[in-house]
Amino acid sequence: MPPTTPKTTVGGHIPTTRPPGQTTAATPTDRPRAAQAARTARAPRARQALRHATPALLSYLAVRTTSLLLLTVWAHHEHQPVWPILATQWDADWYLGIADHGYAHDLGARYDANNLAFFPLYPYLMKTVAVITPGSRASTGLAIAVVSSFIAAWGVFKVGDHLHGRRTGVLLTTLWAALPVGLVQWMGYTESLFTACAAWSLYAVLTGRWLWAGTLAACAGLTRPTGIAVAAAVSLTALLTVVRHRRFEPRTLVAAVVAPLGWCGYVGWVGLRLGRWDGYFAVQRLWHNELDGGRYTLRRMREVLLNNPAPQLFLVTVTLTLLVAAVLFVLSVWDRQPFALLVFTGVLLAIVLMSGGVYFPRARFLLPAFPLLLPLALHLSRASARHRVLMLTAAVTCGAYGSAYMALVWPAAP
């Protein structure tokens, strides 16, 4: 008789053999081990992704630090404190008021006075984090903005890297940091938090992570009125994907439904609070914000560029930003950017250009529209090293000067 091979045991159990390719169901003991293995595998991937994005994040830090240093030196020369500029003035003061006292209960009749115009995610996040951290709510709000700006920069890089490679991603992040109103990214404003939600939501769409895309779009809708642009990008792209594939995809459809819930939820809540279906839009009318098809925008552009012999520098910057943004959108369409990016920038640009509201903050309103910078980033990625250095140096210098001028010379809100 052939010799018998003794069976060895593992953990007290006799292992069984099975044909190749045949799997067995996971036992209760195996499931925690599988979950732990998955978590262990994700950690190196996260570290690798962070290392891959490090050049972009370091570039972002360098640009924003340069701008802050210029602001500090200029403010010292003018005997103006930097802290209030960054943390407590203009919109930051409104968000601090909401964190301290909540929202108004009625519409009122005063112009530019109802805080229901400001969306809730940032002030309530500030209020929540301030409970468990030292310092004032103003310092907490500024810290949230700064941290969000790095998360946003990472998301901006991921979109550029995914579409056109690492160099384009780094250049896209650098250009976004060097915008003439880039100082707002490190102020007690919502632009950084909104851009973080928008960038990662769009990246999730590009990579097919639909539940993340819808959730982040809903968060963007709770952050700024223009969150509807992110919701439109996610929902329309999700529906188009379902139509193209011609099959029921639950996660994609869920994303299409969830994406607008943040914006719609807040607008609906304001209507219930004021007892009228158009409550939020009535508040916006008290802030002089109504869509007029762009008539007011064209009139102000004509005044700044043609009729005023000595226009203020900041208004010239705003006007040129709007015109360049429109040209870059045309180039983005020409380059056949992904549908989600075109919807996001198109809706955002339409809202800003067709508004009859205040003119001077509109460059800031376009700050989250980072996909508009992709044509420039692509051009620089293909240019010579000398040309690239000259263009980036000019962009950083102009951005730093424009940000300091906006904060110290321009007498109104950014």
Side-chain angles (χ1 to χ4, degrees):
M1 294 182 65
T4 302
T5 304
K7 296 181 179 179
T8 58
T9 62
V10 178
H13 298 283
I14 298 176
T16 59
T17 59
R18 59 180 181 270
Q22 181 179 340
T23 60
T24 58
T27 65
T29 305
D30 293 333
R31 293 191 189 103
R33 293 175 182 172
Q36 179 62 35
R39 287 192 295 268
T40 304
R42 281 196 296 266
R45 287 200 299 268
R47 288 194 294 268
Q48 183 179 3
L50 182 58
R51 283 196 299 269
H52 187 67
T54 295
L57 298 177
L58 290 177
S59 177
Y60 177 80
L61 176 62
V63 174
R64 295 289 357 116
T65 302
T66 301
S67 179
L68 184 60
L69 288 175
L70 177 60
L71 172 68
T72 304
V73 172
W74 193 342
H76 178 74
H77 179 73
E78 297 291 333
H79 305 289
Q80 294 189 39
V82 174
W83 173 255
I85 294 173
L86 300 179
T88 64
Q89 291 184 356
W90 306 112
D91 284 18
D93 186 45
W94 283 99
Y95 290 118
L96 288 170
I98 294 170
D100 289 338
H101 309 294
Y103 281 104
H105 291 275
D106 50 32
L107 180 61
R110 293 171 53 204
Y111 284 95
D112 305 332
N114 195 312
N115 64 6
L116 287 167
F118 297 89
F119 277 53
L121 183 60
Y122 177 65
Y124 281 104
L125 184 61
M126 182 195 313
K127 182 177 182 179
T128 302
V129 175
V131 173
I132 57 176
T133 56
S136 64
R137 282 179 176 167
S139 61
T140 300
L142 183 58
I144 291 172
V146 172
V147 172
S148 297
S149 75
F150 281 95
I151 298 174
W154 192 357
V156 170
F157 165 77
K158 292 289 284 186
V159 171
D161 178 47
H162 176 77
L163 293 176
H164 302 290
R166 191 183 194 187
R167 176 183 290 180
T168 302
V170 172
L171 291 169
L172 180 64
T173 308
T174 306
L175 291 172
W176 181 70
L179 289 173
V181 294
L183 180 66
V184 174
Q185 298 166 10
W186 282 11
M187 294 174 66
Y189 279 58
T190 57
E191 272 70 21
S192 290
L193 180 61
F194 178 76
T195 306
C197 293
W200 284 101
S201 178
L202 292 172
Y203 176 72
V205 170
L206 296 176
T207 55
R209 296 173 171 89
W210 288 107
L211 295 184
W212 275 111
T215 302
L216 290 168
C219 291
L222 288 170
T223 307
R224 289 194 58 78
T226 46
I228 192 62
V230 189
V234 174
S235 295
L236 292 178
T237 307
L239 294 175
L240 182 63
T241 301
V242 171
V243 171
R244 282 178 175 176
H245 292 175
R246 296 182 179 180
R247 68 173 181 268
F248 180 75
E249 298 182 3
R251 292 190 177 188
T252 311
L253 292 175
V254 168
V257 174
V258 169
L261 291 184
W263 189 89
C264 294
Y266 180 69
V267 170
W269 177 82
V270 173
L272 291 174
R273 191 173 183 85
L274 298 181
R276 48 187 295 178
W277 70 270
D278 66 337
Y280 174 76
F281 303 101
V283 171
Q284 286 292 346
R285 286 193 290 272
L286 288 177
W287 282 88
H288 311 281
N289 286 328
E290 294 181 89
L291 296 179
D292 68 351
R295 292 189 300 272
Y296 178 74
T297 303
L298 291 175
R299 185 168 72 249
R300 291 305 307 271
M301 286 182 172
R302 188 165 55 248
E303 290 174 1
V304 171
L305 298 180
L306 300 177
N307 299 338
N308 192 338
Q312 292 175 294
L313 177 61
F314 185 69
L315 293 181
V316 173
T317 301
V318 171
T319 303
L320 293 178
T321 299
L322 297 179
L323 292 173
V324 171
V327 172
L328 289 176
F329 180 73
V330 174
L331 292 177
S332 299
V333 175
W334 182 267
D335 287 344
R336 297 182 179 180
Q337 280 187 15
F339 180 73
L341 302 189
L342 292 177
V343 172
F344 170 62
T345 52
V347 173
L348 184 57
L349 190 60
I351 293 172
V352 172
L353 293 179
M354 293 194 297
S355 171
V358 288
Y359 184 73
F360 52 82
R362 299 196 189 189
R364 170 169 63 88
F365 294 164
L366 284 177
L367 192 148
F370 69 91
L372 292 176
L373 299 171
L374 267 172
L376 295 178
L378 274 172
H379 169 73
L380 289 178
S381 70
R382 297 162 182 165
S384 66
R386 179 183 178 185
H387 178 74
R388 190 158 53 242
V389 170
L390 288 175
M391 294 301 294
L392 289 178
T393 301
V396 172
T397 302
C398 292
Y401 179 83
S403 291
Y405 183 93
M406 172 190 71
L408 298 172
V409 180
W410 172 247

